[in-house]
Amino acid sequence: MTFIPVILSGGAGTRLWPVSREFHPKPFIRLPDSQSLLQKAFLRAAALDDVAEILTVTNRELFFKTEDEYREINHSGMSTSFILEPFGRNTAAAIAAAALHASKAYGNEATLLILAADHLISDQTAFSDAVRKARALAESGHLVTLGIRPDAPETGYGYIEADGTCVSRFVEKPSAQKAAEYVAAGNYLWNSGIFCFTAGTAISQMEQHAADVLDTVRTCMEASRVVTAKGFSQTDLDTTCFEQVPSISIDYALMEKSDRLAVVPCDIGWSDVGSWNAIGALTGSDGSGNCIEGEAILHDSTNCYVRGEDRVVGMVGVSDLVVIDTADALLVAHKERTQEVKEIVRQLSERGHESSKIHRLVHRPWGTYTVLGGGERFKIKRIEVKPGASLSLQMHYHRSEHWIVVNGMAKVINGEKEMLVNTNESTYIPAGNRHRLENPGKLPLVMIEVQCGEYLAEDDIVRFEDTYGRV
């Protein structure tokens, strides 16, 4: 039977701020080995047997960044498909879309393995074995989940009461006392959020238990734009239709209601990497229990986790702290309270602060830009354009731009003129001029942009033509 791993990539990851942001969420966080959580999920899926394609359900705004992440590691040329959501509607909608996609492309017998993009699994052999068992149960008509044998009374996970592969009930995140009782009982498992079922079983069970989700997603799929090519498919979900889709998790919508459940108990080295403590545990510690990423000097300090980027971090006489230093935001938290980092993000969002959404380094389909500085009427950026890529043909009402090429060569449209601008050359774009920047070369184009004007926000842009469908 056709086998399709489905990677659900979304969520804000607010407990991992300031590295995780709305437009750079948790799946894109790089671990000490330089791979992102999303890349690890892709490689984990690609290593399984008989994979026909890897289907990713993600936000439309994260598509090009996701493509870049996959391109970096997909050396085997694994077929990829994407379902792009205009905004989040929780896991039931994402899984319904995946099931409908698989049913149309491969038939109801296609087997789906639902994976989260932001989890870690350290034992690939045990994982592969658990998936084989789950596939066998799924092909006999069950909705299967992988249940993790608990090694501690965790209160941050949901639990499954089970008898062998039979599911008695799902249990919400418990109190510390209840969690201890569950671990002592021996027949409770952590709910991993990893599911396996055929497309037909998922559709028929959703028709019975979550028809409102399935029907609205089906209508949305039928109204959506689909792009297909060899080894690639992209479904761009219609925004108007998707607004009608209920927002509910697959656990509430289906798994807690169905009588077709099964569980595979397993030990696969699973973690949902839900806090900076969990990330810090992946880094080796020194003799004082300190875990350090980046450049940091600690004196008379113990049991701290430090993650720095561009600056040296110095710490004296402290213990049990998490320090996360990025270009535009610094987090200092006690290790016992890292779950509360999301409260910082909530307050930043309420204030409309940009640091809740984006980094100074911003990814775009054509490359990246970094805000280097600015003032009341000016902003300075470093822009890097991928080889062969181009920005949209665009115009700004309120700002002019000075472009200085520092590496590579730029092809520039400026009003009625088209020109090549070489390294150590510059050009000036007046406000109101149609313009376009392109990298015609084989190396990255790097330039410094100086914006001047009364209004410098990113929404002062009119696109006339765009390679990436953003007109």
Side-chain angles (χ1 to χ4, degrees), residues 6-9 44 90-92 94-95 112-121 127 131 134 144-148 156-160 170-171 173 189-197 249-252 255 262-264 266 268 270-272:
V6 179
I7 298 175
L8 306 185
S9 182
R44 185 183 309 129
N90 219 314
T91 52
I95 290 171
L112 307 181
L113 178 70
I114 310 298
L115 301 169
D118 55 3
H119 290 179
L120 272 181
I121 293 174
F127 175 62
V131 170
V144 188
T145 182
L146 299 193
I148 309 301
Y157 303 148
Y159 284 71
I160 302 168
F170 283 81
V171 182
K173 296 175 182 178
L189 306 164
W190 289 335
N191 182 5
S192 68
I194 301 171
F195 305 107
C196 189
F197 35 67
S249 72
I250 194 66
D251 296 279
Y252 286 136
M255 303 303 286
V263 64
V264 175
C266 54
I268 56 177
W270 173 87
S271 169
D272 74 344

Side-chain angles (χ1 to χ4, degrees), residues 310-327:
D310 300 326
R311 298 179 292 193
V312 177
V313 177
M315 298 170 61
V316 178
V318 295
S319 299
D320 303 315
L321 292 183
V322 168
V323 177
I324 311 298
D325 186 36
T326 68

Side-chain angles (χ1 to χ4, degrees), residues 128-203:
S128 298
D129 183 59
V131 170
R132 280 191 289 271
K133 294 175 182 176
R135 287 180 63 180
L137 289 166
E139 290 165 7
S140 64
H142 289 87
L143 299 171
V144 188
T145 182
L146 299 193
I148 309 301
R149 295 186 180 95
D151 56 10
E154 287 283 348
T155 59
Y157 303 148
Y159 284 71
I160 302 168
E161 185 179 3
D163 181 8
T165 60
C166 297
V167 175
S168 301
R169 62 175 178 139
F170 283 81
V171 182
E172 291 302 308
K173 296 175 182 178
S175 65
Q177 179 181 344
K178 278 291 183 183
E181 292 175 6
Y182 294 158
V183 173
N187 64 325
Y188 285 83
L189 306 164
W190 289 335
N191 182 5
S192 68
I194 301 171
F195 305 107
C196 189
F197 35 67
T198 66
T201 300
I203 291 169

Side-chain angles (χ1 to χ4, degrees), residues 195-419:
F195 305 107
C196 189
F197 35 67
T198 66
T201 300
I203 291 169
S204 65
Q205 286 292 288
M206 292 191 84
E207 285 174 343
Q208 181 177 344
H209 300 291
D212 54 344
V213 175
L214 183 67
D215 292 344
T216 50
V217 171
R218 181 184 279 120
T219 299
C220 190
M221 295 280 283
E222 292 170 352
S224 298
R225 182 174 66 94
V226 180
V227 178
T228 57
K230 185 177 181 180
F232 174 87
S233 170
Q234 174 188 330
T235 302
D236 202 345
L237 294 179
D238 181 80
T239 301
T240 303
C241 290
F242 203 62
E243 288 176 343
Q244 308 306 313
V245 177
S247 179
I248 185 172
S249 72
I250 194 66
D251 296 279
Y252 286 136
L254 183 58
M255 303 303 286
E256 295 183 5
K257 298 176 182 178
S258 176
D259 59 0
R260 306 279 290 275
L261 300 180
V263 64
V264 175
C266 54
D267 297 299
I268 56 177
W270 173 87
S271 169
D272 74 344
V273 200
S275 70
W276 281 118
N277 285 342
I279 295 284
L282 303 174
T283 305
S285 62
D286 62 17
S288 299
N290 298 308
C291 302
I292 299 172
E293 291 183 68
E295 191 171 5
I297 299 174
L298 277 63
H299 172 68
D300 193 25
S301 297
T302 58
N303 196 34
C304 293
Y305 171 53
V306 186
R307 180 180 177 129
E309 291 185 354
D310 300 326
R311 298 179 292 193
V312 177
V313 177
M315 298 170 61
V316 178
V318 295
S319 299
D320 303 315
L321 292 183
V322 168
V323 177
I324 311 298
D325 186 36
T326 68
D328 63 341
L330 170 67
L331 171 71
V332 180
H334 195 280
K335 274 194 166 184
E336 293 182 0
R337 304 187 66 177
T338 54
Q339 297 288 342
E340 298 174 47
V341 173
K342 60 186 178 182
E343 291 301 315
I344 302 295
V345 180
R346 181 185 62 79
Q347 292 188 44
L348 288 170
S349 298
E350 288 177 354
R351 299 178 189 183
H353 203 287
E354 279 197 339
S355 66
S356 68
K357 295 184 177 182
I358 60 174
H359 288 270
R360 285 187 178 172
L361 173 65
V362 179
H363 291 262
R364 287 290 185 257
W366 42 261
T368 63
Y369 73 80
T370 305
V371 178
L372 301 178
E376 185 177 346
R377 293 174 56 85
F378 72 95
K379 183 184 290 185
I380 305 170
K381 290 182 176 179
R382 177 190 186 275
I383 294 177
E384 183 167 327
V385 184
K386 302 173 187 175
S390 65
L391 283 67
S392 59
L393 180 64
Q394 59 186 250
M395 179 189 74
H396 308 296
Y397 285 113
H398 303 287
R399 71 174 185 252
S400 62
E401 296 176 342
H402 300 258
W403 292 349
I404 305 100
V405 176
V406 296
N407 189 72
M409 180 177 64
K411 181 179 179 181
V412 176
I413 294 175
N414 186 358
E416 300 300 320
K417 298 179 181 179
E418 182 175 309
M419 66 192 83

